[in-house]
Amino acid sequence: MSHQQSQPGWGQPQPGGGGEPPRRTRSTGKIIGLSCLGLIAVAVALVAAVTLTVGEDEPERRTPTSPATPQEENGPRGDVRIAACEVDSVTKWPSAELLITNRSSKASTYMVQVEFVDAANRRLSEAYATTNNVAPGQQSRVTAQSLDQVTVKISCRITDVTRFAS
């Protein structure tokens, strides 16, 4: 007669603590959740910092539809001058070279909008130029370049200037 012995783990549970091993809890969900909360907290802190910074020094603007006044010439619009206005002979892209002189008392960032018009004063294109951290009294040369091809003689006009403390 053959006698079969049962192997441990087969058949009936073994006395003294056999059965299922204890389950390990995974902390992956907790890690992901806490990571998301951390990212949200960082994003909220960044938004608050930017809001506080912008709130201290509101940007100064000149709208394109308002006529120039002596006060505006003393403001950000008066800090920007068109040094050159041309159409590239190869690409046919119009550009305006701008000379920006920071006449404010704080280091400033400038955003300038330029439009390109033909002899009939029709708007052909527009471009933007920016420069950062221009110290008081310092000058910066930047180019506003459009990617629209133009085949006629153009004029350049500054339509908007925004200046804010850097």
Side-chain angles (χ1 to χ4, degrees), residues 11-23:
Q12 298 295 324
Q14 297 292 319
E20 275 189 44
R23 288 185 165 235

Side-chain angles (χ1 to χ4, degrees), residues 16-154:
E20 275 189 44
R23 288 185 165 235
R24 290 186 356 182
T25 59
R26 295 189 180 227
S27 60
T28 306
K30 291 178 186 176
I31 291 171
I32 291 173
L34 291 175
S35 296
C36 289
L37 284 176
L39 288 174
I40 291 170
V42 169
V44 168
L46 286 174
V47 168
V50 168
T51 303
L52 290 175
T53 302
V54 171
E56 291 173 1
D57 297 307
E58 285 295 318
E60 299 177 44
R61 298 182 72 123
R62 176 189 176 274
T63 58
T65 56
S66 64
T69 64
Q71 180 185 14
E72 288 173 331
E73 292 304 318
N74 290 333
R77 172 63 183 92
D79 291 359
V80 183
R81 184 173 64 81
I82 297 174
C85 178
E86 61 189 15
V87 176
D88 185 272
S89 62
V90 176
T91 64
K92 304 294 186 211
W93 293 341
S95 66
E97 185 178 333
L98 306 173
L99 178 63
I100 300 172
T101 305
N102 183 358
R103 297 183 300 169
S104 75
S105 62
K106 298 179 181 178
S108 298
T109 294
Y110 289 83
M111 292 182 287
V112 182
Q113 179 182 3
V114 176
E115 71 178 355
F116 305 102
V117 296
D118 64 10
N121 209 28
R122 283 185 300 231
R123 184 180 184 142
L124 303 171
S125 188
E126 68 179 18
Y128 297 86
T130 61
T131 186
N132 299 316
N133 295 319
V134 182
Q138 184 180 30
Q139 291 185 330
S140 178
R141 283 193 180 269
V142 293
T143 301
Q145 171 93 46
S146 171
L147 301 179
D148 295 322
Q149 290 191 332
V150 174
T151 57
V152 297
K153 184 174 170 66
I154 62 164

